[in-house]
Amino acid sequence: MRILKEFKEFAMRGNVVDLAVGVIIGGAFGKIVTSIVSDIIMPPIGKAMGGVNFADLFINLDRGKRLPTGEPITSLAQAKTAGATVIAYGQFINTILDFMIVATCISAVIKARNVEAKARSRRGR
């Protein structure tokens, strides 16, 4: 019972609760950024590049594998269905863009906090 009481005291500290809220908001923010990249940014870029679907760009490392119908593999979904080993570099490009957007947002938040902290210290607070 003592362990449960100590855990409750630990979990209810302000920092732990703040961290939990930050993780939840961060997860939701990550989903929003992924949607922005996949659904808003990449389709126009793909269209401008001749109708490329970045999420479907891959390198087939099992050239000998074919679909059960005998046809060659032409999409990432087909490659996964056929069990072919692939390098899904299009999905990697999307993930890099996700990271860049999240990193830019975090950088902006940190910069804003630093500016606020400097202003507060100048005012003597």
Side-chain angles (χ1 to χ4, degrees), residues 29-30 33-34 36-37 41-42 92-108:
F29 181 70
V33 170
T34 298
I36 288 170
V37 169
I41 295 174
M42 296 311 283
F92 182 70
I93 291 170
N94 284 352
T95 302
I96 293 294
L97 282 172
D98 283 0
F99 172 77
M100 297 296 285
I101 291 171
V102 170
T104 301
C105 291
I106 290 172
S107 176

Side-chain angles (χ1 to χ4, degrees), residues 102-117:
V102 170
T104 301
C105 291
I106 290 172
S107 176
V109 168
I110 290 171
K111 184 173 181 168
R113 285 191 64 161
N114 289 342
V115 167
E116 176 63 27

Side-chain angles (χ1 to χ4, degrees), residues 35-101:
S35 177
I36 288 170
V37 169
S38 299
D39 302 330
I40 296 174
I41 295 174
M42 296 311 283
I45 292 173
K47 182 77 170 171
M49 294 179 68
V52 176
N53 179 3
F54 279 86
D56 205 31
L57 296 177
F58 70 101
I59 297 171
N60 185 358
L61 300 176
D62 287 335
R63 299 256 182 230
K65 285 214 176 183
R66 295 189 165 272
L67 295 173
T69 60
E71 298 174 30
I73 296 171
T74 58
S75 73
L76 183 58
Q78 290 175 343
K80 287 183 179 182
T81 300
T85 304
V86 299
I87 297 174
Y89 68 91
Q91 291 179 345
F92 182 70
I93 291 170
N94 284 352
T95 302
I96 293 294
L97 282 172
D98 283 0
F99 172 77
M100 297 296 285
I101 291 171

Side-chain angles (χ1 to χ4, degrees), residues 1-14 16-17:
M1 209 52 156
R2 179 179 171 164
I3 293 174
L4 185 61
K5 181 182 176 189
E6 289 176 4
F7 177 76
K8 184 178 177 184
E9 289 172 5
F10 167 76
M12 288 301 156
R13 288 185 187 155
V16 175
V17 174

